Amino acid sequence: GERGGSARGPMASLEATLLEWLRGVGADGIERLDDVLDDDKNESFRAVVADITETDAGSRPSAALERWLRQSGHVFVVDHTDAASVCKAALGAAVHCESKRNYIQKMMALDRDYQASLMQLIEEFNTTVAHGETAQLRDTVKRLERRLLEASEENAASDAEAASAAAAAGRGSDAGQSEELVRLHEKNREQEKRIKTLEAQLEGVIEELEDKRHELAQSAQRYEEELEERDSTISAQADELDVARDRSTQLTKAEAKISKLMQKLEETSHLRNELKRLQDEIDLSIGRKLEMEAELNSVQSLKQQIEVFKSKSIDLEAQLSKMQKEMARKEEQIAQGAE
């Protein structure tokens, strides 16, 4: 994992890339990738994880990373016994944390081949997260089963080698053969320990996968119930919509009828106004006629009075003429008498 422009092809190896990145972000105490799993050597790595997650990484930085990724919505199943998986989780968390700008700048300061490898690792991380937790757990089970099978095969080979060494030791008491036998027994113990660790991890992942399946079954049942409820609601709403459409049609017809009635009412109102106007004119005409009749009656009465006056005037004139004649006659008599 040297810095600089050494010729390593278009992309560096996985271990070299992760080591270079770890050193670039401050994990200088990591000399080999497996050191991230060693509590005696991963202090600087724990500090980096604490900075990324803004929490105390504790003695298990892989668990802190997995917990932080889950809480941030980037579920990534970490293989706690695989240094590359732990480092990939740290890289994925670094480019999604609050300080991602700082970590990306440090990544861009690396050599181009390291940058290309890191970009590929980030893409792999994002693809894995996109596949979902259940798919990751299945892949983890397959990977652990494969590693367990490999460990079992190695253990069987070690057992065969130990048996062969024991047989050779039985034929002679050579010190070298005894040491080889001790070494093989130690190797067997390590293999058995590794197998037990893998089996425990496999059981944990299988149990977690079963829990996820149970959760998915419960979620599926809950979704089915919600879907049935929604279907029922949609059906009820569809019925309500049909009723609303019928009411809307009826309302449209009623509005049209009301519009016609309003139009007729307006026409009737116009006729009423016209009728009132005509009635007023008739009343006025009748009033004038009555006045004229009253005037006519008054004129006729005056005519009658005039006729009466005329008749009386004639009588009076006749009486006056008679009286004048009588007075003339008497004056004549008086005059004659005076002579």
Side-chain angles (χ1 to χ4, degrees), residues 62-268:
S62 59
L65 286 167
E66 189 172 42
R67 183 170 55 254
W68 183 88
L69 286 167
R70 183 180 299 276
Q71 292 173 351
S72 65
H74 301 84
V75 179
F76 183 80
V77 178
V78 181
D79 185 348
H80 302 283
T81 63
D82 183 25
S85 176
V86 175
C87 290
K88 187 181 289 187
L91 176 62
V95 296
H96 290 96
C97 69
E98 291 293 331
S99 304
K100 62 182 179 181
R101 184 183 298 274
N102 179 42
Y103 284 102
I104 292 173
Q105 287 178 349
K106 290 180 179 179
M107 184 178 70
M108 299 305 292
L110 300 177
D111 203 29
R112 288 186 178 180
D113 51 357
Y114 290 128
Q115 292 182 30
S117 297
L118 287 171
M119 290 300 297
Q120 183 177 2
L121 288 173
I122 293 171
E123 290 178 3
E124 291 175 0
F125 171 85
N126 291 332
T127 301
T128 301
V129 169
H131 285 165
E133 185 176 8
T134 302
Q136 293 182 55
L137 288 172
R138 290 197 188 101
D139 293 340
T140 302
V141 169
K142 292 178 182 179
R143 185 170 62 253
L144 289 174
E145 288 176 343
R146 185 169 58 251
R147 288 168 60 183
L148 183 60
L149 178 61
E150 292 173 354
S152 298
E153 292 175 351
E154 290 179 3
N155 192 39
S158 297
D159 288 342
E161 188 177 354
S164 176
R171 291 191 298 270
S173 57
D174 186 81
Q177 291 177 341
S178 297
E179 290 178 359
E180 179 66 17
L181 186 60
V182 171
R183 185 186 65 79
L184 290 173
H185 280 303
E186 182 66 26
K187 184 178 180 182
N188 282 342
R189 283 196 297 271
E190 291 178 357
Q191 289 291 344
E192 290 174 358
K193 183 178 179 182
R194 181 185 175 193
I195 290 173
K196 289 180 180 179
T197 302
L198 289 172
E199 287 176 344
Q201 188 175 2
L202 181 59
E203 289 177 0
V205 174
I206 291 174
E207 183 178 355
E208 188 175 356
L209 184 57
E210 289 298 326
D211 291 340
K212 290 298 176 183
R213 286 175 179 172
H214 182 65
E215 290 178 5
L216 287 174
Q218 290 181 334
S219 298
Q221 183 178 359
R222 185 170 64 254
Y223 291 151
E224 287 178 0
E225 293 174 355
E226 291 178 357
L227 185 60
E228 290 178 358
E229 184 178 352
R230 289 181 181 178
D231 288 341
S232 177
T233 303
I234 290 173
S235 179
Q237 290 177 347
D239 295 338
E240 292 177 359
L241 182 60
D242 291 337
V243 173
R245 285 175 178 169
D246 292 339
R247 290 180 178 176
S248 177
T249 302
Q250 294 175 2
L251 180 61
T252 302
K253 292 180 179 179
E255 288 177 349
K257 189 174 182 180
I258 290 172
S259 178
K260 290 180 180 179
L261 290 174
M262 290 295 292
Q263 185 176 359
K264 289 182 178 180
L265 183 62
E266 290 178 358
E267 293 175 356
T268 303

